[in-house]
């Protein structure tokens, strides 16, 4: 209840205009009692319970003017703020037809206007058009939802321009965008290998480990860079099943009774095929009910909201096997005649078998198939077939060289003819006989060319031709000597290799001796591929990634695999493996290798800069190779060791059980009779400084150590030393203990109106007050004391954290201010002795007001009743209020900034309660009051002494505050324990 | 009276039993004696009463059920919770129950009438575990609101008499001794609050603690962590004595316990199997599949070689040698 009341803040007391109200009441009461009865009805007045006159409506003998004789609203006349029309004249508004049209009319009017698709660059209008078309169609069709479908629900499916572009570039739905290379072909191959692996595994256990490497590449692809992986995954294709029923969207009539869904479906089916009506066994459908994901129907009431925490985390536990239903469904779906239950079971069994082989449900595999694969023998190669192609052209020319030379013929006399003959001969020699034939045919009638057909100069032509041939042949030979002629010869592997820049082959003795012919062949092939130049990227690889370091043989194989992979070109059907490896093992290994290779590639692509370290890293951590696992295990061990060193970690804190708890546990309260503990240092530190965890951890340990020291210190041997030490720091200890006393003093009188009490006290012992008000010395003390108090309360803050120092400064500034203000106030009231008598009652009231209030309302109220001097004070109140408010708000901030955990604890602690109360009380006066009460307790000392003493303390505090934060806290901790020790001793 | 007479003799009988089970693992309860069916939905906890003649189970169907596990009979139903019931505990004299769950309340029941005597409200979140103290005068509850709260059963106040909120995360489990309150939390700590000396001892395990249970000699604490391992801590020094691995415990609140002879550690697994480890060398002595789904709770008979397990599959099973 206390806490509830604290939340309210009362601002002043309400004003009651007593005389008015009472008068009216009296009148009303008198009239009600019967005075009026004496009057004739026409003289009687109708009045409400407040005594005000009421007019009544026509039927009740009068009229009622509006709402309680006012305007027709409760608010009454709302005065309008005056705006001069001189400057802003009413504008002449342009009126259009639209001002006078209703919404639907406007729509109609606008309907006549349309956009043309001619200028529709981005396809918006087209989309709109499509939508309208769809609407029209929708209207023609019978629709599930009567009336037009709202636009928000149904949108035309039009593809975005990006999708269109992609489609044009060859992308298809459901396909990953970035690497189309890998997906289909590569996956198919992988699948095949997986299948092979599954089949080839000899023992039953094999599939299990086989699964692992299959999974791992997934994690691989995900690891290097997230979005890359995401984009490379194929997109899910959404298939919407059309809505065919007449229920509302999203409404599922069988939500809570899935067993009926089955029935309904069957019913529909039966309706469709009236011919073969079948009886559906209810029993099966009831089994179906179990299989349906019936949530555990209990749980949440209708009025309780169903949020995330109510999700059935155990949902997996409800999956029952659904096989029996499916078996039953399928014949019905296919419209097969229903069978007798006994037969059905057999049927379904068969079907299970059949399904495995990929046969359509409802069909059987034929025992004898009429489809047979015809095989043809390979064509017979004739024995004289030479697998070499002969080139006719050049060889012919060369043959002609062997033709015996015609006799030397003198050139004809006609130099023209001679030139012509020579030219033709040259051409023929170069272009072949065909040219001769052609020109002969062409120039048959031409006498000049008669030499071609044995006429004049034919001999010479023959001779020239031969000469030309000879010449050309030599040229050709020269030409071919470098290049062509060897190709005519048989090419040896060496020469070809030389030509192509290969290394000469060398068969390593190891391989040849190793084993069978087949493997030798592979080796050869492999070596061939080895001889080609390596791509640059690959040459780096071996140093970079050695995922199978610990198994050199395997690593070697892996490297081979990599080479094959990157070389392309010559790809061996199988690669060299130790002959003792089984097929399954080889397949598995290959999967491993592929995964590793992919990882390496990905890693390289992702982080070029970190090539050297990164891929290896995540190879070791993310993947489990069949034999590479060893390394990982080692890593794990190392980690374990680390964690073992760190954990479990023990810390000790002080904890105070509630007295009732101790009582209920039948134990003696360890803190019995002791003041409530100072808040735990840890939480204070947490809230004020934002220290990283490690530091925080270190501190409580120290605390623990000191705590452990405490009992030891109590034993005799160390006592003397401890005593000395204690004497030395006795002052300190006392000093530290003081806050505890203070707390007690503050919190023990936990009465509700303690603040008010203080004020009344102020009035009650004026000599005290005057003392405070007048002596500057005392004020000084108070200031000092407040400062120290602030420190004690935990407002003291080390200088190196700017955030909190701010606050501390603010507080330190704030307190003296408010203090002085208060002092002014008190002097103000008491330096008005002349008014005192008249003011007495009022001032009393007046004083209580500012304390209770944080706002202005109350002071406004008081204005009316205060006389002049009161008004002077009132000003101060306002100031006062503001000052008081500011620290409080700051305190609020402070608490909210602290960790929530801490806040929670404070909510329940008394300390918090007091702090919050401090937000509307005047903290300074409060504190001073406590100080006074303390001083009252130690009255034997003179005020002088006191002041000096407290000043000493404050100095001490200043010293401490100058220290490093950790030290000061530690120090306070130690002092705490010391203080406790001291107490214990005293008790002893 | 009769019970008190029987008890010593039973204890006498139990002693040789203990020795036997110490010697051989063949005495572990691996045979299914009874299946207690009745809960609709997951059973979240199953607990023997103090003498082991009865057991209680609670679950997602918002009920608490009292069974005779030896005869497989369902005795009583306690319905009042508004949401799932997560934990239940009986007083040593079998007269009162306390239970807690998703409705953020702790219910204090009368066993025989089945009425709720008191409801304790105050937790700001679901309540994960409850325990009575030795005198059945205080109920201590562990909640999602990162606090342990102690509730007074003697007075009529429904306010907690103590709130321990030094935990940094959900408190999953609580254990009480005569003088201490021990809580295990998701922040990875097992915190012991010693009422007698007014001290809090925090043992940080570095892994979220799912469930804690005391050894029968009171010297050790078994803490099941969410990294699929169960850790055995020495209570006096905070030392890690042993780790038990092999089961799966990653996302569900699951129990672990020791056999009554402290020879073996028992833990459930998320795949529905039960694991028995040797206490000393942490080897898996036995492992069998007990349920078709997550094993939420294991409770061992205080004297006999008998064990009950509960599971998400909705059944409570009784296991004997």
């Amino acid at each position: 209840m206390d806490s509830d009341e604290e939340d309210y803040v009362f601002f002043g007391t309400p004003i009651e205009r007593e005389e008015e109200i009472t008068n009216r009441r009296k009148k009303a009461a008198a009239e009600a009692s019967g005075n009026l009865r004496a009057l004739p009805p026409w003289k009687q007045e109708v009045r409400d319970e407040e005594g005000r006159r009421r007019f009544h409506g026509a039927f009740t003998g009068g009229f009622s003017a509006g709402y309680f004789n006012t305007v027709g609203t409760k608010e009454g006349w709302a005065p309008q703020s005056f705006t001069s029309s001189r400057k802003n004249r009413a504008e002449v508004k342009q009126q259009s037809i639209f001002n006078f049209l209703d919404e639907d009319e406007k729509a109609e009017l606008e309907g006549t206007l349309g956009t043309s698709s001619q200028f529709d660059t981005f396809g918006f209008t087209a989309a709109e058009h499509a939508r309208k078309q769809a609407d029209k169609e929708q209207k023609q069709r019978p629709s599930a939802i009567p009336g037009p479908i709202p636009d928000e629900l149904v949108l035309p499916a039009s593809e975005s321009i990006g999708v269109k572009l992609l489609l044009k570039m060859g992308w298809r739905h459901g396909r990953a965008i970035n690497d189309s290379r890998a997906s289909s072909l590569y996956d198919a191959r992988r699948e095949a290998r997986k299948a092979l692996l599954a089949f080839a595994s000899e023992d039953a256990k094999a599939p299990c480990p086989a699964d692992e490497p299959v999974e791992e590449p997934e994690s691989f692809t995900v690891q290097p860079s997230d979005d890359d992986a995401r984009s490379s995954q194929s997109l899910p294709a959404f298939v919407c099943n059309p809505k065919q029923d007449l229920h509302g969207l999203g409404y599922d009539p069988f939500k809570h009774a899935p067993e009926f869904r089955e029935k309904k479906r069957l019913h529909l089916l039966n309706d469709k095929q009236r011919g073969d009506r079948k009886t559906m066994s209810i029993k099966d459908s009831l089994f179906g009910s179990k299989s349906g994901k019936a949530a555990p129907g209990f749980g949440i009431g209708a009025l309780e909201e169903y949020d995330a925490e109510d999700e059935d985390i155990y949902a997996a536990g409800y999956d029952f096997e659904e096989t029996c239903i499916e078996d039953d469904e399928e014949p019905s779906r296919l419209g097969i005649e229903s069978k007798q239950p006994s037969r059905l079971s057999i049927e379904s069994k068969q079907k299970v078998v059949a399904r495995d082989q990929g046969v359509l449900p409802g069909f059987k595999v034929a025992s004898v198939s009429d489809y047979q694969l015809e095989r043809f023998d390979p064509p017979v190669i004739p024995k004289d077939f030479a697998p070499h192609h002969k080139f006719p052209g050049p060889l012919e020319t060369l043959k002609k060289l062997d033709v015996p030379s015609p006799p030397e013929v003198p050139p004809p006399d006609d130099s023209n003819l001679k030139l012509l003959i020579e030219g033709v001969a040259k051409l023929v020699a170069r272009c072949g006989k065909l040219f001769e034939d052609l020109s002969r045919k062409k120039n048959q009638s031409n006498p000049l060319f008669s030499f071609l057909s044995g006429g004049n100069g034919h001999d010479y032509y023959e001779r020239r031709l031969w000469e030309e041939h000879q010449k050309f042949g030599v040229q050709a030979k020269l030409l071919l000597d470098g290049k062509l002629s060897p190709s005519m010869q048989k090419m040896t592997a060496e020469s070809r290799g030389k030509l192509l820049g290969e290394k000469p082959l060398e068969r390593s003795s190891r391989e040849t001796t190793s084993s069978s012919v087949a493997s030798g062949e592979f080796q050869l092939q492999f070596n061939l591929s080895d001889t080609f130049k390596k791509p640059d990227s690959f040459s780096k690889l071996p140093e970079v990634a050695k995922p199978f370091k610990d198994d050199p043989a395997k690593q070697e194989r892996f490297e081979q695999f990599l080479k094959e992979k990157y070389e392309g070109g010559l790809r061996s059907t199988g690669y060299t493996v130790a002959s003792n490896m089984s097929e399954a093992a080889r397949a598995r290994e290959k999967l491993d290798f592929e995964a590793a290779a992919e990882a390496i590639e990905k890693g390289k692509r992702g982080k070029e800069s970190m090539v050297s370290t990164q891929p290896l890293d995540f190879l070791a951590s993310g993947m489990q190779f069949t034999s590479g696992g060893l390394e990982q295990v080692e890593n794990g061990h190392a980690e374990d060791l680390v964690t073992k060193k760190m954990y479990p970690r023990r810390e000790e804190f002080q904890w105070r059980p509630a007295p009732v708890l101790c009582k209920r546990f039948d134990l003696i309260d360890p803190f019995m009779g002791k003041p409530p503990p100072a808040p735990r240092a840890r939480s204070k530190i947490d809230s004020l400084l934002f220290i990283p965890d490690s530091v925080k951890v270190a501190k409580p340990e120290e605390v623990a150590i000191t705590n452990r020291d405490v009992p030891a210190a109590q034993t005799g041997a160390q006592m003397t030393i401890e005593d000395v030490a204690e004497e030395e720091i006795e002052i300190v200890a006392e000093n530290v203990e003081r806050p505890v006393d203070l707390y007690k003093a503050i919190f023990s009188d936990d009465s509700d109106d303690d603040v008010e009490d203080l004020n009344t006290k102020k009035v009650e012992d004026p000599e005290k007050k005057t003392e405070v008000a007048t002596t500057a010395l005392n004020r000084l003390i108070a200031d000092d004391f407040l400062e120290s108090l602030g420190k004690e309360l935990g407002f003291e803050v080390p200088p190196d954290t700017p955030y909190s120092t701010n606050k501390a400064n603010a507080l330190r500034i704030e307190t003296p201010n408010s203090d002085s203000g208060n002092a002014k106030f008190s002097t103000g009231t008491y330096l008005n002795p002349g008014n005192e008598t008249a003011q007495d009652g009022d001032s009393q009231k007046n004083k209580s007001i500012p304390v209770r209030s944080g706002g202005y309302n109350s002071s406004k109220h008081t204005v009316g009743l205060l006389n002049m001097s009161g008004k002077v004070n009132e000003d101060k109140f306002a100031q006062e209020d503001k000052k008081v408010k500011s620290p409080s708000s700051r305190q609020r901030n402070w608490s909210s900034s602290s960790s929530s955990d801490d806040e929670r604890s404070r909510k329940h602690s008394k300390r918090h309660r007091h702090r919050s109360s401090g937000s509307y009380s005047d903290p300074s006066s409060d504190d001073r009051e406590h100080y006074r009460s303390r001083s009252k307790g130690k009255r034997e000392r003179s005020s002088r002494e006191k002041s000096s003493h407290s000043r000493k303390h404050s100095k001490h505090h200043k010293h401490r505050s100058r220290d490093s934060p950790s030290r000061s806290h530690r120090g306070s901790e130690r002092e705490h324990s010391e203080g406790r020790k001291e107490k214990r001793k005293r008790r002893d | 009276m009769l019970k008190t007479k029987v008890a010593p003799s039973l204890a006498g009988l139990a002693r040789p039993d203990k020795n036997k089970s110490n010697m051989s693992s063949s005495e572990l309860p691996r045979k299914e004696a009874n299946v207690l069916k009745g809960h609709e939905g997951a059973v979240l906890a199953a607990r023997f009463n103090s003498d082991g003649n009865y057991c209680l189970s609670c679950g997602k169907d918002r009920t608490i059920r009292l069974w005779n596990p030896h005869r497989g009979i369902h005795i009583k139903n306690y319905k009042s919770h508004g949401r799932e019931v997560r934990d239940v505990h009986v007083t040593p004299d079998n007269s009162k129950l306390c239970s807690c769950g998703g409705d953020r309340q702790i219910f204090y029941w009368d066993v025989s009438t089945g009425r709720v005597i008191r409801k304790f409200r105050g937790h700001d979140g679901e309540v994960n575990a409850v325990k009575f103290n030795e005198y059945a005068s205080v109920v201590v509850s562990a909640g999602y609101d990162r606090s342990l709260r102690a509730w007074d059963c003697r007075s009529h106040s429904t306010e907690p008499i103590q709130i321990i909120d030094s935990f940094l995360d959900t408190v999953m489990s609580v254990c009480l001794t005569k003088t201490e309150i021990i809580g295990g939390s998701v922040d990875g700590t097992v915190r012991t609050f010693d009422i007698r000396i007014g001290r809090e001892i925090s043992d940080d395990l570095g892994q979220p603690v799912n469930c804690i249970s005391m050894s029968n000699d009171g010297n050790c604490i078994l803490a099941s962590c969410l990294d699929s391992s169960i850790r055995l801590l020495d209570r006096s020094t905070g030392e890690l004595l042993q780790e038990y691995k092999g089961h799966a415990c990653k996302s569900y609140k699951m129990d672990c316990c020791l056999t009554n002879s402290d020879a073996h550690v028992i833990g459930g697994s998320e795949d529905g199997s039960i694991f028995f480890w040797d206490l000393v060398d942490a080897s898996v002595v036995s492992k069998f599949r007990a349920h078709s789904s997550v094993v939420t709770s294991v409770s061992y008979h205080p004297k006999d070689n008998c064990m009950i397990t509960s599971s998400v599959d909705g059944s409570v099973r009784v296991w004997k040698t």
Side-chain angles (χ1 to χ4, degrees), chain A residues 310 318 652 658 664 680, chain B residues 41 83 152 162 199-200 204:
Chain A
D310 295 320
Y318 289 94
E652 266 192 70
R664 294 282 178 258
R680 195 198 270 177
Chain B
R83 298 218 177 177
D152 193 357
Q162 174 105 41
R199 203 156 279 301
E200 171 192 341
D204 194 348

Side-chain angles (χ1 to χ4, degrees), chain A residues 490-775:
Chain A
K490 261 198 173 174
M491 214 183 236
T492 62
E494 281 79 14
S495 61
R496 194 194 297 126
K498 218 178 272 171
L499 241 169
L500 297 175
E502 289 168 358
K503 285 190 287 184
L505 282 184
E506 53 215 344
R507 285 198 179 185
S508 60
S509 58
R510 178 171 60 88
E511 252 89 49
T512 42
T513 54
S514 78
S515 59
S516 64
V517 186
S519 75
E521 229 174 59
F522 288 149
Q523 204 54 54
L524 184 69
Q525 218 161 4
F526 163 65
N527 266 356
L528 258 178
S529 65
D530 197 16
T531 54
F532 284 103
K533 254 195 187 172
K534 297 168 184 177
D536 286 359
S537 64
F538 177 68
S539 62
K540 279 180 217 152
L541 264 177
E543 301 93 74
V544 168
K546 279 189 178 150
F548 307 101
K549 253 186 215 158
D550 43 352
D551 187 353
K554 194 169 185 184
Q555 175 64 28
E556 203 172 30
R557 284 199 298 275
F558 176 60
E559 271 164 30
Q560 283 175 11
F561 167 81
L562 275 185
K563 276 168 198 161
E564 271 175 41
K565 192 175 158 71
Y566 288 104
E567 254 50 88
L570 281 169
R571 182 162 262 236
S572 52
T573 46
Y575 53 104
T576 55
V577 273
S579 51
N580 56 359
M581 270 177 107
S582 72
E583 193 69 13
R586 206 182 307 164
R588 203 175 303 139
E589 199 182 62
K590 186 142 190 181
L591 278 177
D592 268 6
F593 286 169
E594 259 177 39
E598 203 172 314
I600 289 161
E601 204 184 2
K602 274 265 160 74
K604 226 186 348 181
R605 230 188 297 155
K607 294 164 187 174
E608 293 280 27
S609 58
M610 299 171 70
V611 167
S612 55
T613 56
Q614 197 61 15
L616 225 182
D617 246 18
F618 84 83
L619 275 181
S621 63
M623 219 167 84
Q624 268 196 341
F625 297 108
T626 39
S627 58
L630 232 171
E631 194 179 292
Q632 199 201 359
V633 170
E634 273 171 13
N635 271 353
H637 270 305
E639 245 171 62
D640 271 2
L641 280 175
V642 171
T643 50
K644 257 177 199 163
K645 265 178 211 162
M646 279 174 71
Y647 299 112
R649 214 166 34 204
R650 174 159 278 208
E651 295 164 22
E652 266 192 70
F653 308 110
Q654 189 175 316
W655 171 70
R656 191 181 166 113
V660 194
L661 189 75
C662 300
K663 201 173 149 197
R664 294 282 178 258
F665 271 78
D666 206 11
L667 295 169
I668 298 160
D669 186 355
F671 290 83
M672 192 166 54
K674 286 186 185 162
R680 195 198 270 177
R682 197 176 62 118
S683 64
K684 206 200 283 179
I685 292 163
D686 272 357
S687 59
L688 278 176
L689 325 170
F690 301 95
I691 310 176
D693 273 9
S694 56
V695 184
K696 206 167 69 191
V697 166
K699 211 149 282 170
E701 266 175 359
E702 280 164 8
V703 173
I705 290 161
T706 51
N707 281 337
R708 269 182 208 145
D709 282 348
V710 173
Q714 279 184 326
T715 58
Q718 289 181 358
M719 275 290 259
T720 50
I721 308 158
E722 284 296 320
D723 271 349
V724 175
E726 259 171 39
E727 270 170 12
E728 274 177 7
I729 48 169
E730 197 170 19
I731 303 163
V732 179
E734 200 190 23
N735 201 7
V736 173
E737 232 178 321
R738 208 175 54 181
V740 176
D741 275 353
L742 250 173
Y743 284 128
K744 202 177 178 183
I746 292 167
F747 300 122
S748 56
D749 53 11
D750 203 20
S751 59
D752 294 350
D753 289 343
D754 52 350
V755 186
E756 221 165 10
D757 274 357
L758 295 178
N759 269 316
T760 49
K761 248 189 224 165
K762 252 185 214 168
V763 183
E764 274 163 18
D765 35 19
E767 71 271 7
K768 277 259 153 128
K769 196 127 299 173
T770 44
E771 192 184 281
V772 174
T774 49
T775 56

